Amino acid sequence: AIAYQDKAIIFTAPSGVGKTTQAELWQNYRNATIINGDKVFLTKEKERIIAWGSPWNGSSAYAENIGVETAAIVVLEQAEENEIRKLSGMEVLEKLLPHVFFPNWDARCEEAVLALLDEVLARTEVYLLRCRADEDAVALVEKTVF
């Protein structure tokens, strides 16, 4: 997740697709702050979804103790050309659910995750970004989200 113009963009994808690369592109080209390089916590505060850095930064060096209102979730795929489109319905679930932590050993916790996910999806646009690792990908997301 990155913080840019007081909003967060959360990048999600399988390992090795380029989440850290995209975050670093935003840092280099837009002076964005990288909130976390691995695990991002989401909370609902009033009508806003807040992305929080966590101490679990995986192999990344990025773990900021800040919370920023979420502007968008961006699912990444590598591609020869940059393109972005809004996801909806089952597409969102198909692309996003594999990256959501479900504590399936406790029914109450699992229900809480599902309730929060419902709030997140009601308040946050989810996009698919098929991209190269370049400044044009940053510009495309910036234009689309902001």
Side-chain angles (χ1 to χ4, degrees):
I2 61 157
Y4 176 70
Q5 295 184 357
D6 296 321
K7 299 286 184 180
I9 297 175
I10 300 167
F11 297 107
T12 188
S15 181
V17 170
K19 299 177 297 291
T20 301
T21 299
Q22 284 299 314
E24 288 173 345
L25 288 169
W26 277 82
Q27 182 181 53
N28 293 337
Y29 292 116
R30 298 297 188 272
N31 201 31
T33 299
I34 300 175
I35 298 172
N36 197 277
D38 191 32
K39 303 292 182 210
V40 177
F41 296 144
L42 298 178
T43 60
K44 179 184 174 221
E45 295 182 6
K46 298 184 182 175
E47 298 302 312
R48 304 177 321 147
I49 302 301
I50 308 296
W52 294 91
S54 78
W56 294 280
N57 57 329
S59 60
S60 163
Y62 306 107
E64 295 295 323
N65 185 19
I66 59 173
V68 181
E69 182 177 1
T70 302
I73 298 171
V74 178
V75 179
L76 296 175
E77 291 182 359
Q78 294 176 354
E80 295 293 321
E81 298 297 324
N82 295 322
E83 62 180 335
I84 192 168
R85 67 181 176 86
K86 186 176 166 185
L87 297 176
S88 61
M90 290 304 292
E91 241 183 346
V92 170
L93 296 177
E94 174 190 330
K95 298 285 188 185
L96 195 58
L97 279 182
H99 308 289
V100 175
F101 173 71
F102 281 98
N104 58 1
W105 60 87
D106 185 303
R108 289 177 301 147
C109 289
E110 196 169 298
E111 288 172 15
V113 169
L114 288 171
L116 179 60
L117 185 59
D118 188 50
E119 295 286 347
V120 168
L121 297 179
R123 291 172 170 69
T124 309
E125 301 293 345
V126 180
Y127 297 93
L128 175 64
L129 174 65
R130 302 188 75 240
C131 64
R132 300 181 306 263
D134 62 16
E135 186 179 5
D136 290 341
V138 173
L140 182 59
V141 173
E142 181 181 36
K143 179 181 174 185
T144 302
V145 172
F146 296 96

